[in-house]
Amino acid sequence: MHLRYSLAGPLFAMLLGLTAIAAAQPDPSTDPLATEPEVNGPELQIADQLNKTLAAIESKRDQIKALKQRLKTTPEGEKAEIEAKIADTEKSLSASREHFTALAVGGVSLGTDEGEQDLNWQSELLEIAKPLMSSLKALTEKPRTMDRLRTQISLQEDNLKLTDKALASIKRTAASDLQPAVAARVDALEGEWQSRRETTTQDLDMLRFQLAQLEGETSSVLGNLDETIAEFLSGRGLTLVIALGAALLTWGLMRLIARVVFRTRDPEATRLQAPSFRIALLAFRLSTGLLIIVVVMLVLYVTGDWFLLGLALLVLIGAAVGLRNTLPRYLDEARLFLNMGPVREGERVIYGGLPWRIRSLNIYSTLFNPDLEGGVLRLPSSEIATLTSRPDHKTEPWFPTRTGDVLLLEGGVLAKVLLQTPEVVRLKYRGAMRDIPTASFIGMAMQNLSRDGYAAAVTFGIDYAHQAICLDQVAPKFRDAVQDRLRTDYGDQLVSVTAAFKEAATHSLDYLIVANMSPGAAEEYLAVQRAIQQACVSVCNARGWGIPFPQLTFHAGEGAGARGSAA
């Protein structure tokens, strides 16, 4: 706790320092060598500006008078040019007068009632985007100019080829026998095309020269790449670093505040699931995001980088427009985060065919299965919003087995669980390893012998010759013999033994012997069954009881005896 408060002071100091650096950074749109700060007070600076502005006004008045005097003696063909100069000078004079008035009254202007004007958001957006568009235009001006020059060079080269072809044709025509009038006209035509060729050649040389200059400047920029990078890092790059640092510091400070305000010793506390707590936490996170945006925009505004500021505004406007389509999904995720949706923390949910406990709901929610190794899943809110949870019972199992359990599969095969993860369950049976997908394993028919123990049941029959004692003497003898044998072999793993007459079968009098064993004897399931059989056989041997076996009886047909006698 003391560490959090000790970190808050340095982080806040770093934030103030970065803001001070941003405020001290020069405006890239102005020339730092253009003006120097005055050491006098603001009143003297305004007076000096008023004097300079008044001098400019008087100078422009004199210029207008001189131009008007000159206009009186100027021929008609040249008056238009002088009148245009007079108009430009009068506009400049009007601007100087307005500047003088603004300086004198301290920038105060009376409002005019022009009526309520409709807000055109498209024009306003264009005004915001103008600095960005200007910067992008300036950034791509040189490549566009070079491409335009290459296109013009290619066009002039084609024109030059056509001109040479035309001159060659004219010369062939002039060399033939022509009438004097025709020859004179051809000579004049040759002179025109020769002049056109010279003009084309001059234009082509000029275009090539301009292109070579631009290519040389590009090569110079690439050659001074280190200077270009240094200039970027000291200008716009530094602004980006300051904005990013301010955003990170703001996020760190808000995280510290959240840990102090929303701290709890028990992460599974009930109050974490309360709607009021979650609403406060969601509001705090939204406030954190808005504060980060404000800090970044403030840094860009203080540094005066209108390019980055305009770009950031356009990004925010685009995000706001896109939010219109994604707002319903965000509202569903907000309900999920507030623990007010179809999925709630601490409840049971089925995902991928397996049961999971919802440990936490957030941008990435956490699912947990205590009976699986690596049983933790992180799902995005869009995925978990499609599920439905329910409260679970305290005794409800999360998986039918655990690592080390012994299972009785179909066909009476024993298998031991070596590993169980959300993807695969590894079994060992019949001396080999087998990996089964977890979703398939959970649907298999099996009996878990290690969960609560098991009952090994054996049916044993004696001969009908002992029918007289079958109901009162045989079952107790079998029970005592089996109990002594299993107690000797497995000790405390034996829970109880029962024996009872089951039925009078076709060839034997059958008894059901059941031995209840504890989970520790799960791997001895088959051995227990064999021990029961052996104990019963021992009793029969000691008592002289016969053990029947299935007999095969042949029934002869009606003609069997006749055929036998005939034979």
Side-chain angles (χ1 to χ4, degrees), residues 9 17 41 52 73 76 90 113 165 214 241 243 246 265 300 319 340 342 398 478 480 508 518 524:
K52 292 180 179 179
T73 59
E76 291 295 333
E90 288 178 346
D113 186 10
K165 186 176 180 180
L214 292 176
V241 171
R265 294 183 179 180
L300 298 180
M340 300 171 63
W398 292 98
F478 281 160
D480 295 341
S508 62
S518 66
E524 307 298 333

Side-chain angles (χ1 to χ4, degrees), residues 122-363:
Q122 294 179 343
S123 61
E124 296 295 332
L125 184 60
L126 283 176
E127 288 295 327
I128 295 175
K130 273 184 180 179
L132 178 61
M133 295 297 104
S134 300
S135 299
L136 291 176
K137 184 178 180 181
L139 186 64
T140 60
E141 180 67 26
K142 186 178 293 185
R144 289 187 291 107
T145 302
M146 294 175 65
D147 184 69
R148 184 171 63 252
L149 289 176
R150 291 190 182 97
T151 303
Q152 292 177 356
I153 288 173
S154 177
L155 179 62
Q156 294 297 337
E157 288 177 346
D158 293 340
N159 291 338
L160 187 61
K161 291 178 182 179
L162 293 175
T163 304
D164 290 340
K165 186 176 180 180
L167 286 174
S169 178
I170 291 174
K171 288 181 180 180
R172 287 194 301 270
T173 303
S176 60
D177 187 12
L178 299 175
Q179 295 180 1
V182 176
R185 181 60 182 163
V186 169
D187 290 341
L189 189 61
E190 181 180 3
E192 292 178 3
W193 278 92
Q194 188 65 38
S195 176
R196 185 177 300 176
R197 185 183 189 282
E198 293 176 356
T199 302
T200 303
T201 303
Q202 292 176 359
D203 294 341
L204 184 60
D205 292 341
M206 179 59 66
L207 293 173
R208 287 173 176 171
F209 175 73
Q210 293 175 354
L211 180 61
Q213 278 189 325
L214 292 176
E215 289 177 346
E217 293 177 0
T218 303
S219 301
S220 175
V221 170
L222 293 177
N224 300 328
L225 187 59
D226 54 345
E227 297 180 3
T228 304
I229 295 175
E231 182 179 355
F232 171 78
L233 293 178
S234 62
R236 187 159 290 153
L238 179 59
T239 302
L240 289 174
V241 171
I242 294 173
L244 180 60
L248 292 176
L249 285 175
T250 304
W251 177 79
L253 288 174
M254 297 301 287
R255 287 275 294 180
L256 290 177
I257 294 173
R259 289 183 180 180
V260 173
V261 175
F262 300 103
R263 68 181 184 274
T264 177
R265 294 183 179 180
D266 183 8
E268 301 293 336
T270 306
R271 76 183 189 95
L272 293 179
Q273 302 178 13
S276 58
F277 177 84
R278 289 181 165 272
I279 291 174
L281 185 59
L282 180 62
F284 185 84
R285 291 182 177 179
L286 291 177
S287 301
T288 300
L290 292 176
L291 183 60
I292 290 174
I293 293 175
V294 170
V295 168
V296 172
M297 300 297 288
L298 182 62
V299 170
L300 298 180
Y301 177 79
V302 171
T303 56
D305 197 326
W306 303 111
F307 173 78
L308 293 179
L309 185 60
L311 184 62
L313 288 174
L314 289 180
V315 169
L316 291 177
I317 293 173
V321 173
L323 189 63
R324 180 182 59 184
N325 299 325
T326 58
L327 186 59
R329 180 170 64 87
Y330 288 142
L331 290 178
D332 292 338
E333 294 181 3
R335 290 177 59 239
L336 187 70
F337 176 76
L338 294 174
N339 211 29
M340 300 171 63
V343 180
R344 302 191 178 186
E345 279 190 3
E347 293 188 350
R348 182 186 182 98
V349 69
I350 302 298
Y351 180 77
L354 301 178
W356 300 90
R357 173 182 290 158
I358 303 173
R359 176 180 285 178
S360 65
L361 290 175
N362 212 319
I363 297 176

Side-chain angles (χ1 to χ4, degrees), residues 114-121 123-124:
E114 298 178 355
E116 185 178 356
Q117 298 180 354
D118 294 334
L119 179 64
N120 190 342
W121 65 270
S123 61
E124 296 295 332

